């Protein structure tokens, strides 16, 4: 049992361990150990191309996570109020959005954008084209569904009488939403936000289709790997792993805090 | 308060305006009629219970008073004002929910102060704190303000729910099967506590329950419902002694039914009104109906013993023998032939509905 569990962990984390280990290699070849050094981190962080890609990725991930959390939550709340076929239809659409492979979303959003841009660009003074905003739009499409599912699960598990108790205690519908519904949904909204952020941050396939001239971090890594894996890329990868880790711990702390006495 | 209610019923004092009133209220859910054409007036300061089996419309009635449901037709009045169509958050009534519905993300004090904090203008913080302390003291939970809801026992949660509602001094406190989730011992304690609380605060209580013992022991008046209609309203004693139909007699207390004088009628005799003795001759004087019966079962319950006896023509019936009479008569054994009988005034002919 012990050995079995350890093998699973080794299988899961060994590749990440290699990346992190390789990032401290002083030599130029990622695969040949030549001594410990932090040089590659310095190089990575002083590489303007990497920093620009990182900024673009963070920007896309953040905007996407905020929009998905808001739209997804509103979707879940709205679906709570409709019934029958309308609800079944939207449920189906949500599941489809999640099940469709990334490459299909990539191709279809690309075609959609191209068609729409071709149609409206002659009518506008500004020129719409592929780029970070197109990536955000495509990511929000997928992540809204994820957030909606998470929030809906929480909503369905929520005791309906809590809303009634709030109304019974003179809170207006908006007051009830602000003081009861939102705080109770907060953990699932936050979880959705983090999932959306992570998904967007590490997405390569969809971004590759619609990013246009903008370069996200996964796109940068992919294009530089064609020139060989360098410890510099390992350093970037290690930083990404570390930041995801910090993000997860932060989320855990927030979730745990929400379980403690409030005022 | 009870004397006042008594005088009110007897017409000693003049007409008093009701706190809540139903006028010809009907509620339909699709094809199902949950509440049918009900008139009901709740008087100020009384403890009224609506009693009935599940699905009889009692909870729907309560929800229409709270404002969670609106009647399909008819009108609801609170303190003389027509509140039909007015949402729950604008009605001066508060509710204790069946599973308490305490806000899990708020501490006890924040739960209790919730209603006060919705007022506009919002009362000063010090004023709210004082009111919360008072309300918690009233339900004997002083010092529990900073606790989380999940740290409390069922009985404590129940009391927080009461404090959260009563702090607002509602026109009527609505209680939806508030004791159903508690265990038997705690339920007895809470029954007494609820009664005392009601007497102390002087607020009208309206309780919905399917537990006849609960309704009888706590209320000034009980309203028995069946399939959306009010069958009988009266004091617990009136319902027990003068039920209007077989349904009420059956639902309120235990009783024996025998074949009535006509097809549409039954004869009802309460088990404690039946005398038993070793032989027909030993039955007390004044007992008109005397039968020779066989003891089928005996359950010793402490203050009385419950016998099931059988008569050749009447069939099986139940007898409650108090300990006092048993002392000189002794216990009867299962299988023994004994005598049973009752006085003419024990007989009650009721419509067989």
């Amino acid at each position: 049992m012990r050995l079995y569990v350890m093998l699973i962990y080794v299988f899961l984390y060994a590749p990440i361990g290699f990346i992190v280990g390789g990032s401290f290699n002083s030599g130029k070849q990622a695969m040949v150990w030549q001594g410990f050094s932090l040089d590659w981190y310095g190089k990575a962080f002083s590489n303007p191309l990497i920093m620009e890609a990182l900024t673009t990725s963070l920007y896309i991930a953040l905007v996407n996570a905020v929009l998905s959390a808001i739209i997804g939550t509103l979707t879940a709340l709205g679906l709570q109020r409709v019934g029958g076929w309308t609800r079944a239809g939207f449920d189906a659409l949500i599941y489809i959005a999640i099940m469709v492979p990334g490459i299909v979303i990539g191709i279809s959003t690309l075609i959609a954008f191209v068609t729409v841009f071709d149609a409206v660009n002659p009518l506008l003074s500004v020129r719409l084209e592929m780029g970070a905003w197109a990536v955000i739009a495509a990511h929000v499409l997928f992540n809204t569904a994820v957030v909606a599912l998470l929030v809906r699960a929480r909503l369905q598990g929520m005791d309906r009488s809590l809303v009634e108790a709030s109304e019974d205690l003179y809170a207006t519908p908006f007051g009830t939403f602000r003081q009861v519904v939102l705080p109770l949904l907060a953990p699932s909204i936050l979880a959705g936000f983090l999932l959306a952020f992570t998904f967007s941050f590490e997405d390569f396939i969809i971004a590759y289709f619609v990013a246009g001239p903008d370069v996200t971090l996964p796109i940068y890594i992919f294009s530089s790997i064609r020139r060989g894996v360098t410890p510099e890329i390992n350093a970037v990868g290690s930083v990404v792993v570390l930041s995801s880790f910090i993000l997860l711990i932060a989320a855990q702390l927030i979730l745990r805090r929400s379980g403690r006495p409030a005022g | 308060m009870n004397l006042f209610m008594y005088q009110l019923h007897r017409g000693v004092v003049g007409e008093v305006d009701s706190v809540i009133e139903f006028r010809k209220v009907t509620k339909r859910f699709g094809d199902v009629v949950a509440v049918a054409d009900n008139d009901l007036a709740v008087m100020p300061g009384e403890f009224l219970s609506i009693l009935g089996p599940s699905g009889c419309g009692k909870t729907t009635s309560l929800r229409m008073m709270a404002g969670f449901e609106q009647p399909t037709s008819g009108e609801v009045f609170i303190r003389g004002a027509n509140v039909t169509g007015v949402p729950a958050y604008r009605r001066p009534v508060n509710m204790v929910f069946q599973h308490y519905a305490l806000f899990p993300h708020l501490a006890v004090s924040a739960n209790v102060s919730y209603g006060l904090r919705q007022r506009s203008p919002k009362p000063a913080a010090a004023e709210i704190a004082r009111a919360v302390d008072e309300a918690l003291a009233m339900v004997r939970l002083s010092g529990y303000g900073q606790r989380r809801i999940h740290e409390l026992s069922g009985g404590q949660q129940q009391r927080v729910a009461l404090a959260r509602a009563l702090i607002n001094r509602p026109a009527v406190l609505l209680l939806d099967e508030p004791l159903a989730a508690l265990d038997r011992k705690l339920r007895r304690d809470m029954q007494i506590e609820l009664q005392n609380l009601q007497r102390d605060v002087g607020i009208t209580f309206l309780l919905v329950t399917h537990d006849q013992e609960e309704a009888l022991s706590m209320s000034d008046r009980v309203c028995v419902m069946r399939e959306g209609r009010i069958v009988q309203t009266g004091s617990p004693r009136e319902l027990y002694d003068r039920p209007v139909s077989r349904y009420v007699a059956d639902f309120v207390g235990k009783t024996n039914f025998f074949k009535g004088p006509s097809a549409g009628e039954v004869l009802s005799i309460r088990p404690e009104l039946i005398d038993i003795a070793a032989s027909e001759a030993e039955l007390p004087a004044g007992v008109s109906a005397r039968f020779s019966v066989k003891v089928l079962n005996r359950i010793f319950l402490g203050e009385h013993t419950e016998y099931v006896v059988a008569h050749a023509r009447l069939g099986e019936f139940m007898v409650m023998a108090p300990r006092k009479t048993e002392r000189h008569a002794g216990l009867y054994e299962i299988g023994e032939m004994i005598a049973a009988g009752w006085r003419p005034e024990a007989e009650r002919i009721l419509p067989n509905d």
Side-chain angles (χ1 to χ4, degrees), chain A residues 32-115:
Chain A
V32 191
W33 182 257
Q34 286 179 319
F36 180 86
S37 130
L38 288 172
D39 288 354
W40 294 109
Y41 282 89
K43 285 205 174 106
F45 278 101
S46 53
N47 183 338
L49 291 176
I50 291 181
M51 291 320 284
E52 200 192 318
L54 180 66
T55 316
T56 309
S57 274
L58 285 174
Y59 173 73
I60 290 174
L62 190 69
V63 174
N64 154 70
V66 169
L67 288 178
S68 301
I70 295 172
I71 302 173
T73 304
L74 293 177
T75 307
L77 288 167
L79 283 179
Q80 194 78 350
R81 286 168 172 267
V82 297
W85 289 106
T86 324
R87 189 154 161 181
F90 274 98
D91 275 350
L93 288 176
I94 285 177
Y95 284 112
I96 287 171
I98 287 175
M99 286 190 320
V100 166
I103 194 155
V104 177
I105 296 184
I107 295 173
S108 49
T109 39
L110 176 68
I111 295 169
F113 282 137
V114 167
T115 316

Side-chain angles (χ1 to χ4, degrees), chain B residues 140-159:
Chain B
R140 297 189 290 112
L141 279 178
S142 292
Y144 280 71
Q146 292 313 305
R147 297 283 186 96
R148 304 291 304 181
I149 297 307
H150 61 81
E151 294 169 3
L152 304 180
S153 69
Q156 288 169 337
Q157 293 190 9
Q158 164 80 266
R159 302 215 293 267

Side-chain angles (χ1 to χ4, degrees), chain A residues 159 161-173 175-176 178-181 183-184 258-263, chain B residues 63 66 68 88-89 91-95 97 101-105 107 109 114-115 117-118 146 148 150 164-165 168:
Chain A
D159 186 358
S161 65
L162 291 176
V163 171
E164 290 185 342
S166 172
E167 284 174 4
D168 186 58
L169 295 162
Y170 320 125
T172 58
T176 298
R178 190 173 55 80
Q179 297 171 93
V180 175
V181 179
L184 290 176
S258 75
R260 286 217 204 103
Chain B
R63 293 174 58 80
F68 301 136
Y89 57 91
R91 292 193 185 193
V93 295
N94 290 112
M95 183 143 154
F97 291 78
L102 298 172
F103 305 121
H105 60 296
S109 59
Y114 194 90
R117 287 187 281 117
Q118 310 307 316
Q146 292 313 305
R148 304 291 304 181
H150 61 81
R164 183 178 71 172
N168 307 299

Side-chain angles (χ1 to χ4, degrees), chain B residues 71-271:
Chain B
T72 312
S73 67
E75 289 167 321
V76 183
F77 289 79
I78 297 181
R79 283 180 175 149
N82 190 339
V83 295
T84 319
V86 173
Y89 57 91
R90 282 205 220 108
R91 292 193 185 193
V93 295
N94 290 112
M95 183 143 154
V96 173
F97 291 78
Q98 189 169 5
H99 301 289
Y100 319 136
L102 298 172
F103 305 121
H105 60 296
L106 299 177
V108 167
S109 59
N111 263 281
V112 174
S113 64
Y114 194 90
L116 292 182
R117 287 187 281 117
Q118 310 307 316
R119 292 205 180 145
S120 104
K122 199 161 123 180
E127 201 179 313
I128 291 179
R130 196 179 45 76
V132 169
D133 285 347
E134 263 177 38
L136 286 178
M138 182 175 66
V139 295
R140 297 189 290 112
L141 279 178
S142 292
Y144 280 71
Q146 292 313 305
R147 297 283 186 96
R148 304 291 304 181
I149 297 307
H150 61 81
E151 294 169 3
L152 304 180
S153 69
Q156 288 169 337
Q157 293 190 9
Q158 164 80 266
R159 302 215 293 267
V160 173
L162 279 166
R164 183 178 71 172
L166 288 172
I167 196 171
N168 307 299
R169 315 276 326 164
V172 179
L173 181 72
L174 306 170
L175 301 120
D176 184 11
E177 306 248 7
L179 308 180
L182 301 177
D183 63 54
R184 207 181 146 76
K185 169 81 176 68
L186 204 53
R187 210 178 318 161
R188 295 289 304 180
D189 294 346
M190 277 312 292
Q191 281 180 16
I192 296 165
E193 201 164 323
L194 268 182
Q195 261 185 305
N196 292 338
L197 199 60
Q198 198 259 343
R199 221 169 294 138
D200 292 346
V201 295
I203 288 175
T204 313
F205 278 30
L206 196 151
L207 177 101
V208 153
T209 182
H210 67 272
D211 183 339
Q212 51 105 1
E213 189 205 316
E214 202 170 289
L216 294 190
S217 63
M218 291 197 287
S219 333
D220 299 315
R221 281 201 302 154
V222 178
C223 168
V224 181
M225 279 188 78
R226 180 190 194 182
E227 288 162 12
R229 289 177 193 281
I230 295 174
V231 185
Q232 188 175 6
T233 306
S235 70
R237 195 172 271 263
E238 276 166 10
L239 292 183
Y240 192 83
D241 290 341
R242 292 194 299 280
V244 295
S245 67
R246 177 191 176 129
Y247 178 82
V248 176
D250 197 21
F251 208 82
V252 178
K254 289 179 174 172
T255 193
N256 296 301
F257 292 115
F258 302 102
K259 209 164 158 299
S262 74
E265 288 171 313
V266 287
L267 171 63
S268 160
I269 299 169
R270 297 281 185 194

